Amino acid sequence: MLVIPCPHCGPRNEDEFVCWSEVVPRPADPAALSDLEWTDYVYNHANPRGWVREQWWHEHGCRRWIIVERNTLTHEVARTEPAPR
Amino acid sequence: MTSAKRRLPGLERQHRSLQKCGDASVTSVKQRFSIFSLLRNALGYRAGWQRMWRSPEPKRRYDVVIIGGGGHGLGAGYYLARDHGIRNVAVIEKGWLGGGNTARNTMTIRSNYVRPPSVPFHEGSMALYRELSRELGYNLMVSRRGMISFLQSSQAARTAARMANTMHVYGAKYEFIGVEEIKRRLPIFRPPPRPRLELLDGVYQPEAMMARHDAVAWGFARMADAHGVDVIQNCEVIGIRRDGGRVTGVETTRGVIEAEKVGMAVAGHGSVVAAMAGLRLPIEVQPLQAWVSEPVKPVFDEILVFSGYGCYMMQSDKGELVIGGPTDPYPSYAQRGSFRTIEQVTAAVLEMFPIFSRMKLLRHWAGMLDIVYDGSPIISKTPLRGFYVDVAGAGGFKTTPMAARMHAWLIAKDEPHELIGDFGLDRFARGRLVPEGGVSFNR
Amino acid sequence: MTRLQPSRLAAGGTLIDRSRPLRFRFNGTEYEGHPGDTLASALIANGVRLVGRSFKYHRPRGIVSAGAEEPNAVVQLDGEDDEPNVRATTLPLREGLSARSVNCWPNVDFDLAAIIDRLSPLLPAGFYYKTFMGWPGGWSFYGPLVRRMAGLGIAPRRPDPRACEKRFHHCDVLVAGAGPAGLQAALATARGGARVMIADDGPAPGGMLLDGAAEIGGRPGAEWAAGVAAELDSLPNVVRLDRATVAGYYDHNLLTVVESAPRQPWIDERLWKVRARRVVLATGAAERPLVFADNDRPGVMLASAALACVCRYAVRPGARAVAVTNNNSTYRTVLELVEAGIEVPMLADVRARPPETLVAELAARGVELLRGHAVTGVAGVRAVKAARVAPPDRPAGGRRVACDLVLCSGGWSPRIHLHSQSGARPAYDSDHACFVPGDSVQAECSAGACNGAFGLRAALEQGWRAGTEACAALGFVPPAASVPSCADDLPLDVEPCWEIPSPRPRAKAFVDLANDVTAEDIRIAEQEGFRSVEHVKRYTTAGMGTDQGKLGNVNAIGILSEALSQAPGAVGTTSYRPPYTPVSFGVIAGKERGELVLPARRTALTGRIEEAGAVMFEAGAGYRRPSCFPRDGESEAEAIAREALACRTAAGMYDGSPLGKFELHGPDVAAFLNRVYANRWDDLAVGRGRFGWMLREDGRLLDDGITFRLGEDHWWTFAGTGAAGHVHRHLERLLQLVWPELKVYLTAVTSQWTNVCVCGPKARVVLEGAGAGASLAPDAFPFMAMREMTVAGIPARVARAGYTGELSFEVNVPARHGVRLWEALTEAGEPFGLTPVGSEASMVMRCEKGFVSAGFEGDGIVNPFDAGCGWAVDMDKGDFIGRRSLVRDRNVGGVRPNVVGLLPEDPSFVPPDGTPLVEAGAPADAPPVIGYVSQGCHSPNVGRAIALAVLDDGRRRIDGRIEIAGIGRRAPALVTRPCFVDPGGSRMRG
């Protein structure tokens, strides 16, 4: 069970959170993308072995979305940030 | 006519095309295993037992290199040689063969699927498994156990009904048996008078099987080797060589190996190897935990699935209760899971089977699943010509022989067999998914 | 009749209380022991040597160890205890305990299956991979036979009466093990002010100090340990646990500790989940057996275990012992056993030159030392009768020495399990011929014997250092040095000895006693090409038994390394998997039983609904909802039909409170809704509402629901019950991460509001009768409007919307008024035939109306156009979530599935949900499947069976025929538009 240091609430167990995969900015203008580019955005993941920036939701806490920098191989959490404003 | 065909009329045509594949003779004769070989060697002591496979040095060049020496990769090597006569093949493995998910799954071979493309594929895999021990001359300990799914919500009952009916169209058995029948078959099933989730109904898949997972890799490795395929362990791929949109070989920790075609069967590392080929795949890797109790004498035969809790239990040949749950909820390559999952699933099992409260957890472990966006396999060509992928979708032990055979077909012919026509990567660009198992990313 | 305790020593035994006898039974015979005994020590006290039969060969087995390592003495508890596979060496004796041997029939003395031992040449490692494939039925035939032979104990047949609980604990330092190193570490950290937990699996602190004459600070070691424990117990910042095994080491320094005898008498077992800032592992080392012919005979025992028997329990595991060793530790052990009255005629040391000081001590006590000798075999089957002592290179030579006990020591293996579980890789220490901790990957360190420091002084020093370093690392001031005095450590001087050659080629020399794996098995595996240590483990099953290889693994690695001509370090270990010792399922579940397995959610009205005799079902999101309200003598089908009919002819009422509810405030809500729903929102008037499809980015249905505009910047959104959680997450993610610039404040208010829907032609009069505080007339309160008013004097938000296609009012009141509202409506509705309605009837009505449901028709393929909801998609309003995928669907084209209605030709045939559809007249065994029934029901309003379906190219098939291909029945059906009642919608709009 990981400890996720919520930037708003402090260190909390992973089961208070929902992990929502890696940070991928939503295309500003989806209409401008080709079908293939859109497919890549919707379905594909980098899914890296190692460090990744992920979106986590502190559902059973402050209910804020945060960014977690986590290592998928070692489960280390390097840092967390509040959602960008 | 084999029993498999009788049961699966809808499959017959599709399987006929496979039967045309040649049964190529072996290049080196393997020791035949039987009770007689055991008898002979009992007298001669161990002197007579031969190596199951060679440990060749990698050659500079192969027609085909398969990355990944688990069940899927070794099977692909075997079927390339046997079905297509392609023997200049290397199956390369970064660690010890069968050391990935083949070593970490829960041994279950089942086929409960709802989409038309899924049913013949998985039923076909079960049919291959039934004959595989004899075919490979190696006992994979495939035994028919049957599987009972406990339906604990109307949603689950509806999904099961759709599965049962769809599978019926393809000649596969998936029967509703009712609560009383479950109780009759499982005398130990004595849930509390007011369980948290009421048992509404049960479905039974009589053909569900268990097999000795490690043996699947070993059996394939042994016969691939017999057909001249080089099985090379401790050879990690660190790069994919490309030239003008075409694959030309792989870079490994043991040097560059050139190849006309490269197949990838690296459950749990699909994204990592695909990235070396400049590809991104619609997968996320998630830990799937399983655990066993101490061994006890047989208490039940069937594989039990608890729909309401997303977990399952069976008893291994050795007597251990084998229990597993859903994947842990974040991507991980760590081969370790969260203790929380074990707590939740154990509690769920005890809710259904309070009698096991004093059984003891002996060891637990985690495999890594390449979870595909729609939960279905990807056996596909890729934008990189000559580079093929076999990704299981949501755990691939049960599909090992069929996926491997289809992967071999795809590599040999550069065209998918019709059984996997819907399992290509192009389905994502076309939005024609094959959603299974309730897997969805909800992005 | 109770027997005496012939092998109980007259004096000694630090752990037992001689004043009180305890009676127990083993294999049906009654014996006597004392409090403090383990079952194993009590059996030894009574001269019981044969305790079980082995897993594969059914060989007679005796007690080998004195702790958690025990591979043989695994027993079945009878009666109330009813528990399989209990290690007799760790089971505290209690009055009335009844145990018996496992895996033998008819009994442990005469086991029919022992014939297997004779057939063993036929059954080498992996024999089952080589046979059982053919006649008559392959493994499906042979497997069940083999299964019956496998397994050990019998699964429990009685309910578990134990009370188990779990507890979270946070501390600065967790110390695993309360031997000299652990106690020192705990003392240092505790004195430094850190919050400390120290746990030890033994019944008393001290570890190895309980088993010997070692002195610390001039006192017996056990006394010193008790003193330290007393100081720790007096400190408020220390939690000290006896009989508590640190079982698992997980991510981010979470460890599980299983406490088997908590101080609270009403708790039988407790699982601690400990989050420690730092961990000190002081788990000691386990003695290794030696591998020689017939080293599994009852009476062959670890030297340290014999010492523990004598020191802790004052029992004598034998009268005359031959000892064999490859290291120095055994000399002191032998001397102490001699002191305790066990005759030890001989010590065989495989080393050519043991230290002279030890040799002299031995000689002084009359123990003969044979240098360069080993025990190469033993005589006796059910008990050791003699040992052959010979030089390893001439195993058949040497001497036969009569004895009833063989003490062996093959060196010591640090208990690196927890270190390895933490994710670290152990390293090989060739000086001590063992694996030791490698580099730490979590905040942990090892001290003492588990760190390869074999010796009391080293343990005391390393423990103290680990403690002070933990203090410093955590910001506590390390206390002044305090390492008590003790004798100098003797080096171990291990000479690796993985296997002693056997005088007979067929003799079995066991590596893994729990799974009956011999040295020969390891060599067969290597010969067949299994060269990785993981392969060998899996092929031979070495290390996979009940002891998880605690005794055998290092010897197996050693033997493999010799076969491979590699160093043991190059071979490496297999991964050590949690838990350290088996943990009961009951304590892992703890109190998460019954209602606590999954949180059950109730609305304000659930109680009323249950009282009304509703049939309840699990409706998703943890809610139990009524499926119908059968009256006396009524079947469920009849009740459903009656309720559905009532809604269309009079009035029905249902609890819609589980619907997800969200309030949105802010100037940008309209813009936000435009982006998350497929249709347009900025043109919605205040007081009005609209239906919308929320899509996923892949263009598939996520949820449908109605949203009302309560004010210019104030909106209220409904979501499906099951999808509410997803919708909440989805909306918050978009607001916080994707469009943080939007000024929208979202609040989930699902459980704050009770929602009661009154529907049917009489809905208006019912609501008026209940005291609606504003006009309900169609022009004042049109369809798809929301009004704030009082109902029965309760402030309410009333919406004209519903899911039945009838005139409907959804009355939302603060949940605390829910029951009052329900009662008021019930009373007001009585004259008009108002009927409580369950979910089944409302699903019948949605089927009649063809209202698409994300849960039924939206199965991951269907988009809103497929569903016939193109009217709810505005492709021109700008981008929204999922729009680009709808464009993609259009670009790709091809056959799409459509939602259609079905009328089975046989009006009484209700097609089950999920039944596939095939082309009309298709042959019986010919797919393809072209669609499926999403919901079928008997419609009391239409008077026949109807269904909704998802059908390829369905819209073009309307008025055509297909076949419903159900199990056992193929039924032709007419394809229709998906609406069977009031296609114009005048009822709901009226």
Side-chain angles (χ1 to χ4, degrees), chain C residues 941-956:
Chain C
N941 295 296
V942 185
R944 76 187 316 286
I946 60 168
L948 293 180
V950 177
L951 177 63
D952 286 350
D953 221 1
R955 274 200 283 280
R956 243 174 270 160

Side-chain angles (χ1 to χ4, degrees), chain C residues 647-648 688 691 706 757-761 763-764 776 778 781-785 799-809 845-846 849-851 871 979 981-990:
Chain C
C647 287
R648 299 229 189 275
R688 301 306 297 265
F691 172 86
I706 298 173
C757 181
V758 184
C759 57
R764 191 173 280 125
L776 303 179
F781 193 175
F783 182 56
M784 282 291 179
R800 261 203 69 185
Y803 201 46
T804 59
E806 292 298 319
L807 171 65
S808 301
F809 295 90
M845 288 182 280
R846 84 104 198 171
K849 286 295 295 177
F851 291 147
W871 53 270
C979 185
V981 167
D982 186 26
S986 57
R987 289 166 175 234
M988 64 183 179
R989 292 170 202 279

Side-chain angles (χ1 to χ4, degrees), chain B residues 9-10 33-35 38-39 42-43 45-47 49-53 96-97 103-104 115-116 133-134 137-139 141-145 152 154-155 158 161-162 164-166 168-170 174 190 196-198 212-215 218 233 291 293-301 309 315-318 321 323 336 339-340 342-343 346-348 350-351 354-365 373 428-433 435 440 442-443, chain C residues 55 80-85 87 103 121-122 128-133 139-140 147-153 155-160 162 166 249-251 256 271 273 421-423 442 505-506 515 520 523-524 526-530 532 534-535 538-539 544 546 548 577-579 582-586 588-589 592 594-595 597-600 617-618 622 696-698 700 726 856 859-861 888 892-895 913-914 916 925 927 929 932 966-967:
Chain B
F33 289 148
S34 70
I35 184 69
L38 283 167
L39 275 169
L43 304 176
Y45 214 30
R46 73 179 150 90
W49 297 120
Q50 298 170 354
R51 285 220 184 286
M52 303 250 294
W53 44 75
W96 39 283
L97 56 89
R104 291 183 172 77
R115 307 285 168 180
S133 293
R134 251 175 299 208
Y138 198 72
N139 188 359
M141 290 184 237
V142 178
S143 65
R144 191 171 153 235
R145 290 292 196 93
Q152 296 166 301
S154 48
Q155 175 67 43
R158 234 176 20 243
R162 189 168 163 198
N165 281 291
T166 306
H168 178 75
V169 172
Y170 291 89
Y174 196 59
R190 274 172 287 168
R196 171 65 186 84
L197 295 183
E198 195 187 342
R212 176 87 177 96
H213 50 328
D214 293 321
W218 302 340
Q233 301 183 70
W291 52 101
S293 73
E294 296 184 306
V296 288
K297 295 293 177 193
V299 274
F300 62 97
D301 295 332
Y309 301 103
Q315 193 178 16
S316 71
D317 286 342
K318 209 179 152 189
L321 300 184
I323 299 173
R336 36 200 290 133
F339 187 66
R340 187 72 197 127
I342 294 172
E343 292 178 272
T346 303
L350 291 190
E351 174 73 356
I355 203 73
F356 290 143
S357 175
R358 275 187 286 199
M359 294 289 291
K360 293 192 256 351
L361 167 67
L362 183 59
R363 65 173 175 274
H364 64 81
W365 66 91
Y373 188 95
F428 298 96
R430 293 167 51 233
R432 294 289 187 167
L433 272 49
S440 89
N442 281 339
R443 267 179 78 172
Chain C
F55 187 77
E80 281 305 308
D81 297 310
D82 193 24
E83 186 172 335
N85 305 341
R87 265 149 290 278
N103 209 33
L122 270 174
Y128 31 72
Y129 299 118
K130 297 172 177 165
T131 182
F132 302 136
M133 286 173 272
W139 190 250
S140 289
R147 279 183 74 198
R148 239 167 285 159
M149 296 302 297
L152 283 174
R157 286 148 300 180
R158 288 161 184 263
D160 181 3
R162 296 175 312 151
K166 294 192 275 192
Y249 198 141
Y250 301 91
D251 284 322
T256 52
L271 180 76
K273 293 185 276 183
Q421 287 178 28
S422 79
Q442 297 203 44
R506 286 255 185 247
N515 264 359
E520 191 61 15
R523 280 190 290 272
I524 289 177
E526 192 280 331
Q527 180 173 323
E528 293 196 75
F530 296 96
S532 147
E534 286 284 354
H535 274 161
R538 286 153 188 277
Y539 193 63
M544 300 180 80
T546 50
Q548 290 289 287
R577 284 173 168 154
V583 178
S584 85
F585 286 168
I588 293 172
E592 291 169 49
E595 288 284 289
V597 172
L598 290 175
F617 77 108
E618 194 68 24
R696 307 190 309 213
E697 199 70 286
D698 65 2
R700 305 300 171 240
H726 296 277
F856 282 76
D859 72 340
I861 292 180
R888 185 251 349 252
V892 170
V895 171
D913 298 0
D925 62 347
V929 168
Y932 68 98
I967 295 175

Side-chain angles (χ1 to χ4, degrees), chain C residues 73-266:
Chain C
V74 171
V75 301
Q76 178 91 24
L77 299 191
D78 285 329
E80 281 305 308
D81 297 310
D82 193 24
E83 186 172 335
N85 305 341
V86 179
R87 265 149 290 278
T89 47
T90 57
L91 176 71
L93 193 69
R94 52 181 181 262
E95 179 68 28
L97 184 82
S98 176
R100 66 201 148 75
S101 304
V102 297
N103 209 33
C104 50
W105 190 87
N107 60 54
V108 70
D109 288 309
F110 178 74
D111 178 11
L112 278 178
I115 184 76
I116 294 172
D117 195 28
R118 306 273 166 174
L119 300 175
S120 61
L122 270 174
L123 311 171
F127 72 96
Y128 31 72
Y129 299 118
K130 297 172 177 165
T131 182
F132 302 136
M133 286 173 272
W135 185 85
W139 190 250
S140 289
F141 176 81
Y142 292 104
L145 303 179
V146 173
R147 279 183 74 198
R148 239 167 285 159
M149 296 302 297
L152 283 174
I154 293 163
R157 286 148 300 180
R158 288 161 184 263
D160 181 3
R162 296 175 312 151
C164 300
E165 72 159 28
K166 294 192 275 192
R167 210 181 253 196
F168 276 110
H169 187 73
H170 293 263
C171 60
D172 295 309
V173 180
L174 172 67
V175 181
L183 287 171
Q184 282 283 89
L187 200 59
T189 43
R191 284 184 185 166
R195 292 169 305 153
V196 183
M197 174 183 259
I198 176 167
D200 189 282
D201 61 357
M208 63 179 270
L209 299 174
L210 300 174
D211 302 332
E215 293 198 338
I216 297 176
R219 291 187 290 167
E223 225 178 279
W224 173 85
V228 174
E231 179 180 343
L232 291 172
D233 290 344
S234 73
L235 296 173
N237 53 331
V238 178
V239 175
R240 192 182 65 79
L241 304 176
D242 291 326
R243 293 191 192 281
T245 305
V246 183
Y249 198 141
Y250 301 91
D251 284 322
H252 296 190
N253 265 17
L254 180 82
L255 293 96
T256 52
V257 180
V258 180
E259 192 183 9
S260 62
R263 288 187 187 114
Q264 296 77 359
W266 58 89

Side-chain angles (χ1 to χ4, degrees), chain C residues 576-885:
Chain C
Y576 291 75
R577 284 173 168 154
Y580 173 67
T581 50
V583 178
S584 85
F585 286 168
V587 80
I588 293 172
K591 300 240 179 283
E592 291 169 49
R593 311 288 283 266
E595 288 284 289
L596 300 181
V597 172
L598 290 175
R601 297 170 75 182
R602 297 170 70 83
T603 74
L605 301 178
T606 304
R608 284 297 148 116
I609 287 167
E610 285 170 342
E611 284 166 25
V615 177
M616 304 297 282
F617 77 108
E618 194 68 24
Y623 285 106
R624 289 180 69 73
R625 300 183 73 174
S627 66
C628 59
F629 294 79
R631 292 176 180 164
D632 286 343
E634 203 177 41
S635 74
E636 288 185 27
E638 286 162 355
I640 294 163
R642 174 180 50 74
E643 292 167 17
L645 209 53
C647 287
R648 299 229 189 275
T649 56
M653 172 171 81
Y654 59 84
D655 177 18
S657 307
L659 283 175
K661 304 174 205 72
F662 303 98
E663 289 209 43
L664 297 102
H665 291 266
D668 293 332
V669 174
F672 176 60
L673 294 175
N674 268 353
R675 297 188 199 181
V676 297
Y677 279 105
N679 50 348
R680 191 175 195 101
W681 296 88
D682 49 1
D683 57 353
L684 187 69
V686 171
R688 301 306 297 265
R690 188 169 280 172
F691 172 86
W693 273 113
M694 194 179 286
L695 304 184
R696 307 190 309 213
E697 199 70 286
D698 65 2
R700 305 300 171 240
L701 310 179
L702 171 60
D703 189 42
D704 60 291
I706 298 173
T707 299
F708 292 94
R709 190 171 200 168
L710 297 178
E712 190 59 32
D713 298 336
H714 181 195
W715 302 65
W716 166 293
T717 281
F718 288 95
T721 302
H726 296 277
V727 169
H728 187 199
R729 184 172 66 203
H730 178 69
L731 297 180
E732 286 286 17
R733 193 181 73 85
L734 293 170
L735 281 174
Q736 295 183 37
L737 290 180
V738 182
W739 302 308
E741 70 280 6
L742 290 183
K743 292 193 176 61
V744 174
Y745 197 87
L746 181 144
T747 315
V749 296
T750 301
S751 51
Q752 268 71 40
W753 293 84
T754 289
N755 171 298
V756 178
C757 181
V758 184
C759 57
K762 301 277 171 58
R764 191 173 280 125
V765 288
V766 170
L767 208 54
E768 282 164 354
S775 168
L776 303 179
D779 45 346
F781 193 175
F783 182 56
M784 282 291 179
M786 182 178 261
R787 298 281 182 265
E788 302 207 34
M789 63 177 76
T790 56
V791 175
I794 307 162
R797 290 175 179 173
V798 183
R800 261 203 69 185
Y803 201 46
T804 59
E806 292 298 319
L807 171 65
S808 301
F809 295 90
E810 290 190 356
V811 185
N812 298 281
V813 299
R816 63 183 181 280
H817 301 305
V819 172
R820 247 175 76 204
L821 175 71
W822 183 264
E823 286 173 350
L825 289 171
T826 306
E827 198 184 317
E830 226 251 303
F832 304 104
L834 179 74
T835 305
V837 171
S839 297
E840 288 290 339
S842 80
M843 288 317 295
V844 166
M845 288 182 280
R846 84 104 198 171
C847 189
E848 289 172 342
K849 286 295 295 177
F851 291 147
V852 174
S853 156
F856 282 76
E857 285 81 28
D859 72 340
I861 292 180
V862 167
N863 71 27
F865 295 109
D866 302 333
C869 298
W871 53 270
V873 184
D874 184 343
M875 296 294 278
D876 302 323
K877 68 171 174 174
D879 189 38
F880 58 88
I881 298 289
R883 180 184 182 279
R884 182 64 187 80
S885 292

Side-chain angles (χ1 to χ4, degrees), chain B residues 35-93:
Chain B
I35 184 69
F36 304 108
S37 71
L38 283 167
L39 275 169
R40 261 197 311 280
N41 284 285
L43 304 176
Y45 214 30
R46 73 179 150 90
W49 297 120
Q50 298 170 354
R51 285 220 184 286
M52 303 250 294
W53 44 75
R54 300 162 290 137
S55 295
E57 280 301 308
K59 293 193 281 190
R60 210 176 61 80
R61 185 179 168 76
Y62 289 92
D63 293 343
V64 179
V65 165
I66 304 284
I67 307 170
H72 281 241
L74 293 162
Y78 164 71
Y79 287 117
L80 273 171
R82 200 205 69 161
D83 287 356
H84 306 284
I86 301 173
R87 296 150 189 281
N88 188 19
V89 175
V91 179
I92 58 178
E93 163 58 47

